[in-house]
Amino acid sequence: MNRLFFLLPVIALCGCNVDVSHGKEISYLQMPGSEQLDLPFSAAVRAGKTLYLSGNIGNVPGTLHLAEGGIEAETRQTMDNIKAVLEQFGSSLDEVVKCTVFMADMDEWGAMNEVYRGYFSNPPARSALGANGLALGARVEIECIAVTG
């Protein structure tokens, strides 16, 4: 019997999309003006209609300097940075489906959440964890997955 016949129920049960484009729909995206930072990663990668954002920290755009004012200020700047990346590449905070939050100090969880929750009308799925050391000594780093129109 044909092997594909056996695979069809598995594909149907997974509810997954099979990409037959052989990677032709993948774009590696950089924010305008970030070239001088010479970072070894893309701001986002678009695969089909899904946008995968790299982790964002609370740096002032175009610099490697963190926003001053502790976890609240860093979280606010982080979320503003995420919003800018999403909008630059055709998405928005309303289209975020998953976030992962990395925190340098889990004791700051409540303060981070107070700022974070103000950015979403419908909160996406989320994971959070403590990390021993974030880039540039940041207090928080957030990565997201979003869809695009």
Side-chain angles (χ1 to χ4, degrees):
M1 224 181 242
N2 188 334
R3 282 189 249 175
L4 184 58
F5 177 78
F6 291 107
L7 288 176
L8 288 177
V10 173
I11 293 170
L13 286 175
C14 290
C16 52
N17 294 324
V18 179
D19 180 15
V20 293
S21 67
H22 304 289
K24 293 180 183 174
E25 291 185 40
I26 297 175
S27 302
Y28 299 87
L29 309 167
Q30 293 295 345
M31 289 295 285
S34 66
E35 301 84 9
Q36 74 276 7
L37 299 178
D38 195 32
L39 299 173
F41 52 86
S42 298
V45 174
R46 182 188 320 278
K49 292 188 175 199
T50 304
L51 198 59
Y52 298 88
L53 273 64
S54 289
N56 278 267
I57 60 175
N59 62 298
V60 176
T63 75
L64 296 177
H65 303 289
L66 295 171
E68 295 181 14
I71 188 68
E72 292 91 349
E74 280 191 43
T75 303
R76 191 169 295 104
Q77 186 64 62
T78 299
M79 294 305 299
D80 288 345
N81 292 347
I82 289 169
K83 182 179 181 210
V85 173
L86 290 166
E87 290 175 354
Q88 175 69 33
F89 301 118
S91 191
S92 71
L93 289 169
D94 290 335
E95 295 175 293
V96 173
V97 296
K98 174 76 166 85
C99 289
T100 304
V101 178
F102 304 90
M103 296 188 65
D105 183 352
M106 291 302 287
D107 288 340
E108 296 178 323
W109 169 267
M112 182 278 301
N113 271 330
E114 284 301 312
V115 175
Y116 175 93
R117 73 173 23 114
Y119 282 83
F120 296 105
S121 54
N122 293 303
R126 188 178 94 176
S127 302
L129 57 117
N132 182 8
L134 298 174
L136 304 179
R139 311 295 311 146
V140 63
E141 180 170 341
I142 303 173
E143 63 181 30
C144 298
I145 301 170
V147 294
T148 59

